Amino acid sequence: MSAKAINMTKKIIEKQKEKLQKQKERLEKELNSLARRNKRVKGDWITKYPQFDGGNLEEEADEVEEYGNILPVTYTLELELKKVNEALEKIKKGSYGVCEKCKKAIPQARLKVYPQAQYCTKCQ
Ligand SMILES: [Zn+2]
């Protein structure tokens, strides 16, 4: 399909795919511990609310604070998982490794450290 992406050998793409799948597993595991899947919106996660047992007020305040800390973490994980899924989708379509902005090939060194990269070093 896209001629620009084809600098990468099949072997490298397979390796990237493996890395992405491992990341996907890790991210989903982390998300599962902090949030639950939103059944209505694909790829969306709802942060679990802390369980209030109606006892100690001080403890409840701590739990609210903890919830506030979890939210951005969940959001970051969710975003990362989305990128990983998109990268896997691109591998399927044969457009993996192409910068979404300038449509040039993303340097392989960058993809090695960050397989779900959407942009090249210039456009990031
Ligand atoms: Zn670019």
Side-chain angles (χ1 to χ4, degrees):
M1 207 178 102
S2 165
K4 287 171 200 148
I6 308 310
N7 291 331
M8 259 183 281
T9 62
K10 253 190 164 170
K11 212 173 156 190
I12 292 171
I13 296 220
E14 274 308 305
K15 244 194 174 158
Q16 293 299 100
K17 200 175 158 186
E18 239 173 71
K19 275 191 210 167
L20 285 161
Q21 262 154 356
K22 268 187 198 149
Q23 286 233 43
K24 188 181 164 161
E25 271 171 42
R26 183 183 59 85
L27 287 165
E28 282 185 340
K29 217 174 158 186
E30 274 184 62
L31 268 168
N32 263 319
S33 67
L34 299 170
R36 60 187 166 81
R37 257 177 229 269
N38 186 345
K39 280 178 190 132
R40 266 169 270 167
V41 185
K42 201 183 164 239
D44 192 33
W45 293 73
I46 300 162
T47 304
K48 284 175 189 164
Y49 281 89
Q51 295 292 315
F52 292 120
D53 45 24
N56 194 321
L57 266 180
E58 214 170 287
E59 231 171 72
E60 281 183 13
D62 279 351
E63 277 169 3
V64 170
E65 203 185 296
E66 198 181 303
Y67 177 66
N69 292 337
I70 289 171
L71 265 184
V73 176
T74 311
Y75 182 71
T76 310
L77 290 172
E78 202 180 288
L79 221 69
E80 220 44 51
L81 181 61
K82 210 177 146 206
K83 280 187 205 163
V84 168
N85 279 329
E86 276 168 7
L88 283 166
E89 200 55 40
K90 280 183 203 162
I91 289 180
K92 248 191 240 165
K93 287 183 190 154
S95 60
Y96 178 72
V98 179
C99 172
E100 285 180 18
K101 231 179 237 172
C102 67
K103 308 289 174 205
K104 284 181 187 153
I106 300 171
Q108 274 178 37
R110 177 163 162 72
L111 289 169
K112 248 187 193 169
V113 287
Y114 193 57
Q116 61 267 49
Q118 294 167 294
Y119 305 113
C120 69
T121 333
K122 267 189 201 163
C123 300
Q124 71 177 327

